[in-house]
């Protein structure tokens, strides 16, 4: 039987990242300690029991199956200084292939007569090779390198629309089968928003938008929030199906840094203003602290699998 878990990364002194699998239950108990993959490694995505890690220090990507300890690595091609890149990972059901997509903005994004189109390349595990694809006529730029959600064969990012008045946000999706970009609208209540405090996730197999509200400013570089709304797209691709599922409304004097993940029993994992993890019950508004030491947490839903990498893709 497959186990439903959460994979957590946090930094501990002296800046050493730890990856740990936790049971997806109320206690969030530790299930398994995982390996050390370097000091500048982030989770870029998870799909079918495989985890894609982005290693910025060594300019490489790692695709990893934590359940059986297998991994493969691939180097990233360096383009030039000033590159901002976005990485997504998922499964192409048409070709039964796992793919990594890398979208890179090289140098300045804006030019006098429009946007500079991004450089897009695909790594297919079955061929163990990178290839470049051409994109054009995008009128938006991807916004948050940390906000990425894989669902329905597509990888999704929050994006900023270029042109017109103000700074409007939307959702850009990349279809891993057709290898094209598509656009999804924000909830109607947020469609004219220029508020950057939005991020994406997956809630009960639906696309979810997390909108943090009522900021508390401590200084120019640090702030938290007292409230957060969770919107769910009930019918994928239908903007009118966005529904406000619930709000994270912390009791005074609570303060929220961000939502980390959704739990199967209905709880929401959050990081509070003390950089500690807690489980929030949206029905009772009860906050249950979970004792973890460290900071810069990442938590991602994870389902164990026995997908082989070395035998299948060597």
């Amino acid at each position: 039987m497959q186990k439903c878990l959460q994979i957590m990364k946090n930094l501990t002194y002296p800046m050493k990242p730890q990856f740990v699998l936790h049971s997806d239950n109320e206690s969030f108990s530790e299930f398994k300690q995982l390996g050390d993959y370097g000091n500048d490694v982030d989770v870029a995505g998870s799909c079918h029991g495989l985890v894609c890690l982005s290693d910025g220090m060594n300019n490489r990507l790692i695709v990893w199956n934590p359940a059986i300890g297998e991994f493969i690595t691939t180097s990233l091609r360096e383009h030039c200084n000033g590159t901002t890149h976005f990485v997504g990972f998922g499964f192409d059901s048409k070709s039964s292939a796992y793919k990594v997509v890398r979208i890179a903005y090289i140098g300045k994004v804006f030019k006098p007569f429009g946007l500079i189109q991004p450089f897009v390349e695909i790594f297919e595990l079955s061929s163990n090779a990178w290839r470049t694809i051409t994109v054009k006529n995008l009128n938006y730029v991807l916004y948050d390198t940390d906000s990425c959600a894989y669902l329905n064969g597509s990888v999704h990012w929050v994006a900023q629309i270029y042109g017109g008045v103000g700074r409007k946000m939307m959702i850009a999706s990349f279809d891993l089968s057709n290898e094209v970009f598509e656009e999804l609208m924000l909830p109607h209540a947020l469609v004219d928003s220029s508020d950057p405090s939005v991020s994406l996730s997956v809630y009960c197999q639906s696309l979810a938008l997390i909108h943090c509200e009522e900021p508390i400013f401590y200084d120019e570089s640090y702030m938290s929030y007292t409230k957060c709304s969770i919107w769910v797209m009930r019918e994928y691709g239908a903007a009118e199906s966005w529904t406000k599922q619930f709000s994270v409304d912390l009791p005074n004097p609570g303060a929220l840094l961000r939502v980390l993940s959704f739990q199967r029993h209905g709880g929401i994992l959050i990081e509070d203003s003390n950089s500690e993890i807690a489980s929030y019950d949206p029905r009772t508004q009860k906050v249950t602290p979970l004792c973890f030491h460290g900071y810069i947490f990442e938590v991602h839903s994870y389902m164990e699998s026995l997908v082989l990498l070395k035998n299948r893709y060597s």
Side-chain angles (χ1 to χ4, degrees):
M1 181 178 177
Q2 288 182 314
K3 293 184 175 65
C4 297
L5 304 166
Q6 301 269 357
I7 183 169
M8 183 179 81
K9 172 205 167 183
N10 71 318
L11 291 183
T12 57
Y13 182 83
M15 296 296 288
K16 183 178 180 180
Q18 292 183 336
F19 288 93
V20 183
L21 284 175
H22 290 264
S23 298
D24 192 4
N25 53 25
E26 292 187 8
S27 66
F28 199 59
S29 55
E30 182 176 312
F31 177 74
K32 183 181 181 181
Q33 287 271 353
L34 302 174
D36 177 8
Y37 286 87
N39 290 339
D40 190 23
V41 174
D42 298 307
V43 177
S46 176
C47 172
H48 297 175
L50 299 181
V51 179
C52 181
L53 304 176
S54 177
D55 181 356
M57 182 174 292
N58 297 297
N59 201 41
R60 63 176 181 161
L61 293 177
I62 303 165
V63 180
W64 173 38
N65 186 330
I68 59 178
E70 281 194 0
F71 66 92
I72 60 173
T73 63
T74 177
S75 297
L76 295 175
R77 287 183 287 179
E78 292 189 54
H79 300 295
C80 65
N81 293 331
T83 298
T84 301
H85 75 178
F86 299 76
V87 177
F89 174 69
F91 185 69
D92 173 1
S93 59
K94 289 184 180 179
S95 62
S96 297
Y98 292 93
K99 294 180 179 179
V100 179
V101 56
R102 182 194 187 206
I103 298 111
Y105 292 93
I106 302 171
K108 293 183 178 179
V109 173
F110 300 99
K111 59 183 179 180
F113 303 103
L115 290 174
I116 295 176
Q117 298 300 292
F119 184 93
V120 181
E121 52 187 354
I122 306 288
F123 177 77
E124 220 170 302
L125 272 66
S126 56
S127 63
N128 196 34
W130 288 95
R131 55 185 168 82
T132 303
I133 65 172
T134 302
V135 298
K136 57 184 178 179
N137 300 327
L138 297 185
N139 69 333
Y140 53 80
V141 293
L142 304 188
Y143 185 77
D144 187 351
T145 56
D146 295 325
S147 177
C148 176
Y150 168 75
L151 181 71
N152 287 354
S154 296
V155 187
H156 306 78
W157 292 271
V158 176
Q160 179 181 322
I161 298 174
Y162 175 77
V165 179
R167 220 177 34 161
K168 294 185 178 181
M169 314 296 285
M170 47 81 72
I171 297 170
S173 68
F174 184 82
D175 187 310
L176 291 171
S177 295
N178 300 326
E179 297 183 354
V180 295
F181 283 97
E182 298 175 354
E183 300 179 17
L184 299 175
M185 300 304 295
L186 296 182
H188 181 71
L190 303 175
V191 73
D192 292 324
S193 174
S194 61
D195 189 346
S197 56
V198 293
S199 59
L200 294 174
S201 186
V202 175
Y203 174 79
C204 293
Q205 301 305 308
S206 294
L207 190 64
L209 180 77
I210 303 164
H211 179 221
C212 293
E213 307 168 62
E214 300 179 9
I216 303 171
F217 294 93
Y218 299 96
D219 55 44
E220 293 181 356
S221 61
Y222 182 77
M223 68 178 178
S224 61
Y225 302 89
T226 61
K227 186 176 181 181
C228 192
S229 297
I230 313 294
W231 294 80
V232 174
M233 183 178 263
R234 294 296 185 187
E235 180 183 347
Y236 182 76
E240 65 275 9
S241 71
W242 280 111
T243 304
K244 185 184 283 191
Q245 186 72 20
F246 36 66
S247 294
V248 177
D249 196 355
L250 297 183
N252 291 331
L256 167 75
L257 285 181
R258 55 192 169 134
V259 170
L260 294 170
S261 185
F262 300 106
Q263 298 179 279
R264 288 176 62 86
H265 65 82
I268 303 172
L269 291 176
I270 64 172
E271 181 180 359
D272 66 22
S273 59
N274 295 317
S275 294
E276 296 177 351
I277 293 181
S279 179
Y280 176 85
D281 188 333
R283 295 162 297 182
T284 64
Q285 296 186 319
K286 180 182 178 181
V287 179
T288 303
L290 302 172
C291 297
F292 293 102
H293 301 286
Y295 59 103
I296 311 183
F297 297 105
E298 292 181 45
V299 181
H300 302 263
S301 296
Y302 174 78
M303 183 76 72
E304 268 195 326
S305 81
L306 299 178
V307 173
L308 298 177
L309 292 170
K310 293 180 180 177
N311 292 344
R312 183 174 177 182
Y313 299 113
S314 59

